Amino acid sequence: MKPAFRQLHPLFAAEVEGIDLMQLHDPETLAALRAGMDQYGVLVFRDQSFTDAGQLAFAQRFDGVLHSKTGISALGRNRLNNEALSDISNVDEEGRIRQTDDRRRMYSLANRLWHTDASFQDPPGRYSMLSARVVPPADADTEFADMRAAHEALDAKTRAQVDGLHVHHSIAYSRQTLGFEFSAEELEALKGAIHPLVRTNPRTGRRSLYLASHATRVVEMPVPEGRLLLRDLMDHATQRTFVHAHAWRAGDLVIWDNLATMHRGRPFDDGVHRRELRRVTTLDIAAEPA
Ligand code: OGA
Ligand code: MN
């Protein structure tokens, strides 16, 4: 079956109708969806009925090896007992809404900063697949920014300046900028990774700015100059013309390419409304999907 892509934003993001991903095994359709990822960077599928096991299996069929060294695993095991399944929710083991000062809640608040998933690892994350199980009655959107368009829109001088630079990414850093405190042991587990500031999709040749709030410094520059450059690039890349907001419905599965896009969660009344999503992220390695 040939999937039809309905573009959602002038630059990127598309919705695909009529596919049940839990049941999808057909290699041609899977390949067409991967090509769609390369083109659109974000794909939205409505009315999916994922179980946790079904989501994990689909992610491996679609893109191979799963990321499981999540930042939050340094804080202890998650309630889903599988670190490849990230608990993107505001509820605890007993299903109660987490208290304001709950450590996991505070850690997760940093998802509201612009970021890419698993840029603090090497290899980093490629595709993230976020499944909405319970959504609040109030808006709690996720926003995406097209980092290919952001790279293309740089002025010639900045485009030449960023070429060849490398950035250190640390998940502890993005949390520390919000005042979150880690133990020495936790910090030891979260040392981070270095990646090029401009990365190229090997299949399309398109280049992207590879940025995140995890970015601590530019390796080739003095720390303050590097941080100023990173802030300017972040301001540039998150201009509204590059941003698409996804309004969640229960049953949505959204897949995004962490090379082509950045994302952030928008604030909502998380002490009042339950919001439960599950994320699986694959590793950006050349291996063929299973
Ligand atoms: C994520 C993430 C934001 C949100 O799942 O990786 O950043 O809106 N989520 O929940
Ligand atoms: Mn994320």
Side-chain angles (χ1 to χ4, degrees), residues 22-70:
M22 277 275 280
Q23 308 302 332
L24 176 65
H25 286 79
D26 164 41
E28 276 172 32
T29 310
L30 286 164
L33 293 179
R34 289 184 203 109
M37 286 302 298
D38 281 339
Q39 185 172 349
Y40 298 104
V42 179
L43 293 181
V44 173
F45 301 83
R46 304 280 192 183
D47 305 314
Q48 304 294 314
S49 51
F50 274 114
T51 58
D52 292 352
Q55 188 179 349
L56 287 159
F58 169 72
Q60 289 169 86
R61 284 202 297 284
F62 191 51
D63 197 43
V65 183
L66 305 183
H67 161 64
S68 59
K69 290 186 216 147
T70 61

Side-chain angles (χ1 to χ4, degrees), residues 72 76-87 93 104:
I72 203 163
R77 292 174 72 84
N78 76 17
R79 70 183 172 122
L80 308 174
N81 280 320
N82 181 344
E83 298 304 332
L85 194 61
S86 286
D87 183 18
E93 290 72 11
R104 282 184 173 253

Side-chain angles (χ1 to χ4, degrees), residues 162-181:
V162 295
D163 207 29
L165 296 179
H166 295 80
V167 174
H168 175 252
H169 294 249
S170 151
I171 188 124
Y173 179 73
S174 54
R175 274 68 192 152
Q176 285 165 331
T177 62
L178 295 184
F180 189 88
E181 289 173 11

Side-chain angles (χ1 to χ4, degrees), residues 182-192:
F182 293 92
S183 68
E185 198 185 326
E186 287 165 349
L187 284 179
E188 184 58 31
L190 299 173
K191 285 212 167 117

